[in-house]
Amino acid sequence: MFEAEQKIIESAILDYCTDKDLPIVETKWAWIPFNGQWGISTSFFQLAARSFGQTRGNVPQRANEIALEVAGRLSGIEGFEKIEAVNGYLNVYFFTADYSRRVIRQVLEESEKYGHGQRLNQRLMVEFSHPNTHKAFHVGHLRSAFLGDVVARILDAAGYDVIRANYPGDIGLHVIKWLWNYLKFHKGEKPDKDITRWMGAIYAEAVKRLDQEPAYEEEIREIYARWDRRDPEVVQCWEETRQWSLDGFNEMYNLLDIRFDRYYFNSMFEKPGKEIVSELLEKGIAEDEGESGGAVIVKIDEKLELEEEKYRVMVVLRSDGTALYATEDLALARQKFLDYPDLVKSYYVVDVRQSLHFQQVFKTLELLGYEWAPRCQHLPYELVNLPGNVVMASREGTVVLLEDLIREATARALAVVKEKNRELAEENQLEIAKAVGIGAIKFPMLSRESNKVVTFDWESALDFNGQAAPYIQYAYVRANSILRKAQNVIPAELAADYELTKQEITLIDLIARMPEEIQKAARDLKTLIITNQAYELARAFNDFYTQCPVLGVEEPQRSTRIRLVAAARQAIANSLAILGITAPQAM
RNA sequence: GCCCCAGUGGCUCAAUGGAUAGAGCGAGGCACUCCUAACGCCUAGACUGGGGGUUCGAUUCCCUCCUGGGGCACCA
């Protein structure tokens, strides 16, 4: 937001270096640690160190000398309130009244687009969620869904055109087991409500029956064979029940405010995958060990002539000639670029256990000569475990179902809403409870580094206090309430000045940083940068709220503060929107 | 055996190689005639896993060790 000001100082530093015959060092800007005033800073340690060349010297002292000299030169420049040299740093302070007006004006003008970057006209794809049909949807599956959704939102906000892709696992042994159990014991049954739970129960029952009666394995193989030769009854049953799962997922995606532009189904890639395997064999990249009873494999390290093992060996076709996950992933990657040849990036939001697998897939495609292969990138994330390092697995029964979590979180939120807003219509109370409950579920998974394991426990998942979504939503609601009492009229900008309090400066400062934070989040693909920003913003607003009365003060403070509240509300709303968290109108 | 990730107050997490390592929860104390207390204020609590190294400067980069988690040929 302050590029022009930065350039002025940068060129002054450049002039100084030229005059003094000092090496040229890139000027890096940072925000001044808060001290009641508002500005940016840069340091001269690097320049000082370089100025000594080979000889040793006192760097901090030299840096401070440089800072003092530069500050001296800049003293004549207009447009800054104060320029000072401290401990080797050059601190440049803005005229707070001018800059705060500029920031607030910009937020109010750009409204829901504030903080967003220029459109880049670059397309990329984010594949995420990829749930298995015919299975339950549990809390462990949420991380990919939330992470992928918010990464897509961040990239969109940063200026990219994002395609949101889903890749459901709609076929495989788990589906066959399900079909077997259904055809044998539940034929004709249909789920009426809680579709996903019901689908999961049929699967769990199938697994249990098989454990108890191993002889059923034969019947499973029979179903698999019928599926392979596209037996009409099996195919029709598969199609119908698959749709039930997809309907159930859509219900949940709607509830969670997650949408997709494009569905790729696992079942679509068996054939194309085998075609790629043929291509690999033709080009001598893959080896068929079928004669010795083996599979079709790619010895990636050997092909790359690597000394140490890195990509190891990838099986691309089973020894019985059937496709496996890797086979299909090769075809899927290609299909994405056939559909969208201009993708600058193809992201896969998949858990960390598949890191090697994706490295293998992408490297194999590179060996095949696909120029887009390096544009594929795996975005790994760590698992959601249960206390005691128990992995969530539907076949182990160690799961927390998403439906249960949402139900419980919403119920708790509703209890609080009813307590706080007795006069509100029940319909509105439910709406708020949903926003708060679901926001509370999303936030913890977005606010930590994706390479950190999340341990799910009911107590902390349902704790709405502290660093959590409700805190941010509450700040939004407070701002909203003030504006409502001001009849939702945003006063025009006033020329008159008044001394800003430190709460106001901090708040404006954080609002001003938003565009940079969004770009940073997009560059690093980190949702946590946005949750941090949103939380800081909310905290700064709460601080302002308790310290700075708005409606009861005289002009020009009153108008200026109303404008600031409107800008803060907008900034918080935009942060929440990027996080896919609903901002309720009341709480 | 090889590879990847994590290790920061009691607990859960932050911190573009830079100024005094920040929050939340929990603990103790304070605070409700004032735009909603799902709020705020104060206090205590950290040799950033150990040891080396690079650097003017390391939680951050490199090496090594320890602990925990994960991955390594036909599961997905």
Side-chain angles (χ1 to χ4, degrees):
Chain A
M1 189 170 271
F2 306 110
E3 293 83 2
E5 288 74 15
Q6 288 181 4
K7 286 226 175 72
I8 293 170
I9 308 283
E10 279 170 22
S11 72
I13 294 171
L14 208 64
D15 288 349
Y16 169 81
C17 290
T18 315
D19 288 356
K20 297 279 176 173
D21 206 21
L22 288 168
I24 304 300
V25 175
E26 190 199 351
T27 306
K28 289 180 185 164
W29 293 100
W31 304 94
I32 303 175
F34 187 73
N35 61 356
Q37 275 180 296
W38 184 19
I40 53 175
S41 78
T42 188
S43 69
F44 295 104
F45 296 105
Q46 226 176 358
L47 181 59
R50 294 250 205 109
S51 77
F52 288 122
Q54 295 302 312
T55 59
R56 289 185 72 83
N58 187 328
V59 170
Q61 193 187 326
R62 182 82 188 94
N64 203 40
E65 283 166 21
I66 296 172
L68 282 164
E69 286 177 36
V70 172
R73 281 183 165 227
L74 288 167
S75 62
I77 295 184
E78 300 262 317
F80 300 100
E81 182 168 335
K82 190 172 81 177
I83 292 174
E84 63 174 13
V86 187
N87 301 329
Y89 288 82
L90 180 73
N91 294 336
V92 179
Y93 294 95
F94 301 135
F95 285 108
T96 47
D98 287 348
Y99 283 93
S100 61
R101 268 198 290 267
R102 188 206 284 189
V103 171
I104 292 169
R105 195 188 312 139
Q106 192 172 340
V107 177
L108 296 180
E109 276 170 15
E110 298 179 6
S111 61
E112 73 274 8
K113 289 289 173 206
Y114 174 72
H116 291 216
Q118 298 287 319
R119 298 318 296 174
L120 300 165
N121 294 314
Q122 290 187 8
R123 184 139 65 170
L124 39 79
M125 181 181 281
V126 181
E127 180 209 299
F128 61 102
S129 196
H130 29 250
N132 282 325
T133 65
H134 302 83
K135 271 194 183 180
F137 198 102
H138 62 71
V139 170
H141 296 127
L142 281 178
R143 209 166 177 185
S144 172
F146 291 163
L147 228 42
D149 174 53
V150 175
V151 164
R153 288 172 192 264
I154 288 170
L155 291 167
D156 175 72
Y160 292 94
D161 299 324
V162 183
I163 295 162
R164 303 155 151 267
N166 200 346
Y167 181 50
D170 62 339
I171 194 59
L173 194 57
H174 75 277
V175 177
I176 300 298
K177 285 179 186 171
W178 192 99
L179 291 173
W180 163 78
N181 189 32
Y182 180 78
L183 288 169
K184 190 174 172 82
F185 299 102
H186 297 275
K187 205 166 179 178
E189 289 179 27
K190 271 185 190 175
D192 47 352
K193 58 180 171 65
D194 278 337
I195 309 173
T196 309
R197 178 195 300 273
W198 185 82
M199 296 294 288
I202 301 285
Y203 174 71
E205 191 185 79
V207 172
K208 202 173 150 199
R209 287 203 159 112
L210 278 163
D211 279 350
Q212 287 170 352
E213 186 48 72
Y216 284 145
E217 290 290 348
E218 185 55 41
E219 296 179 28
I220 299 286
R221 273 195 293 275
E222 166 67 17
I223 298 280
Y224 218 144
R226 287 173 68 191
W227 158 257
D228 257 351
R229 59 174 188 269
R230 298 297 184 264
D231 176 299
E233 188 197 13
V234 173
V235 169
Q236 200 231 319
C237 182
W238 171 71
E239 279 172 352
E240 189 182 0
T241 57
R242 182 184 91 139
Q243 192 56 45
W244 295 345
S245 263
L246 296 175
D247 291 344
F249 295 155
N250 274 331
E251 259 175 41
M252 274 185 275
Y253 289 139
N254 285 335
L255 202 55
L256 298 171
D257 195 15
I258 293 174
R259 59 172 193 83
F260 295 92
D261 301 309
R262 183 86 204 214
Y263 272 81
Y264 293 104
F265 290 100
N266 189 226
S267 58
M268 291 162 50
F269 294 99
E270 196 180 318
K271 260 191 194 165
K274 288 182 179 176
E275 284 163 24
I276 294 188
V277 171
S278 306
E279 200 182 332
L280 283 165
L281 284 166
E282 278 165 32
K283 296 197 174 171
I285 297 163
E287 293 160 43
D288 190 346
E289 299 194 329
E291 285 176 18
S292 53
V296 179
I297 60 170
V298 180
K299 293 177 177 169
I300 306 177
D301 289 333
E302 203 177 292
K303 293 292 174 217
L304 292 169
E305 295 175 11
L306 296 180
E307 294 291 321
E308 302 130 9
E309 54 178 357
K310 181 173 180 189
Y311 298 101
R312 300 165 193 258
V313 171
M314 176 167 71
V315 176
V316 291
L317 207 61
R318 289 200 188 92
S319 48
D320 64 3
T322 58
L324 68 163
Y325 190 58
T327 323
E328 288 144 358
D329 255 355
L330 291 167
L332 171 65
R334 185 179 63 174
Q335 191 59 46
K336 289 174 175 176
F337 283 92
L338 287 171
D339 292 339
Y340 307 98
D342 59 345
L343 291 182
V344 294
K345 275 283 183 183
S346 178
Y347 293 115
Y348 293 70
V349 183
V350 183
D351 80 67
V352 67
R353 292 174 301 185
Q354 294 182 46
S355 294
L356 176 60
H357 163 76
F358 280 115
Q359 284 189 52
Q360 291 177 328
V361 170
F362 301 153
K363 193 51 84 175
T364 298
L365 290 164
E366 207 176 311
L367 285 169
L368 254 180
Y370 290 116
E371 50 83 27
W372 43 258
R375 285 183 258 153
C376 296
Q377 191 181 328
H378 176 212
L379 257 42
Y381 62 88
E382 265 293 353
L383 299 183
V384 179
N385 283 345
L386 292 168
N389 196 28
V390 175
V391 180
M392 275 198 210
S394 24
R395 53 173 311 141
E396 310 287 334
T398 52
V399 293
V400 174
L401 291 184
L402 176 57
E403 300 95 306
D404 294 335
L405 178 59
I406 290 176
R407 197 164 298 157
E408 188 63 30
T410 310
R412 287 213 192 182
L414 186 63
V416 182
V417 176
K418 281 188 184 294
E419 173 76 27
K420 306 251 173 204
N421 297 283
R422 295 171 195 277
E423 71 292 351
L424 226 56
E426 173 132 22
E427 186 189 333
N428 295 334
Q429 290 176 332
L430 279 168
E431 210 172 294
I432 295 164
K434 200 183 108 183
V436 172
I438 290 177
I441 294 170
K442 285 188 179 187
F443 199 82
M445 298 216 195
L446 298 170
S447 63
R448 68 191 64 211
E449 210 72 67
S450 55
N451 59 8
K452 293 221 163 121
V453 177
V454 172
T455 301
F456 179 91
D457 68 276
W458 282 100
E459 200 183 332
S460 55
L462 297 173
D463 185 0
F464 296 169
N465 296 315
Q467 284 177 339
Y471 180 89
I472 301 162
Q473 291 168 317
Y474 183 69
Y476 172 86
V477 166
R478 293 283 55 75
N480 202 39
S481 168
I482 292 176
L483 295 170
R484 196 168 49 235
K485 287 207 159 73
Q487 272 73 49
N488 283 313
V489 175
I490 312 298
E493 188 175 293
L494 295 181
D497 278 1
Y498 75 92
E499 185 91 359
L500 292 171
T501 64
K502 69 174 187 183
Q503 288 83 10
E504 287 169 286
I505 296 168
T506 305
L507 182 56
I508 296 165
D509 185 27
L510 283 164
I511 295 170
R513 295 183 194 196
M514 216 177 134
E516 280 179 45
E517 294 296 309
I518 291 176
Q519 291 300 324
K520 195 168 144 200
R523 195 174 56 240
D524 300 347
L525 300 163
K526 284 185 179 178
T527 59
L528 116 95
I529 292 175
I530 304 297
T531 56
N532 282 351
Q533 147 86 25
Y535 178 73
E536 296 269 309
L537 211 47
R539 200 159 51 130
F541 182 81
N542 278 334
D543 198 19
F544 164 82
Y545 182 83
T546 52
Q547 298 296 316
C548 308
V550 176
L551 300 174
V553 296
E554 297 300 315
E555 298 291 359
Q557 271 194 333
R558 188 182 135 99
S559 286
T560 307
R561 281 189 175 163
I562 291 176
R563 286 176 66 80
L564 174 55
V565 171
R569 179 180 66 168
Q570 187 64 253
I572 295 170
N574 293 4
S575 302
L576 286 173
I578 292 176
L579 295 171
I581 294 173
T582 306
Q585 296 308 303
M587 272 174 84

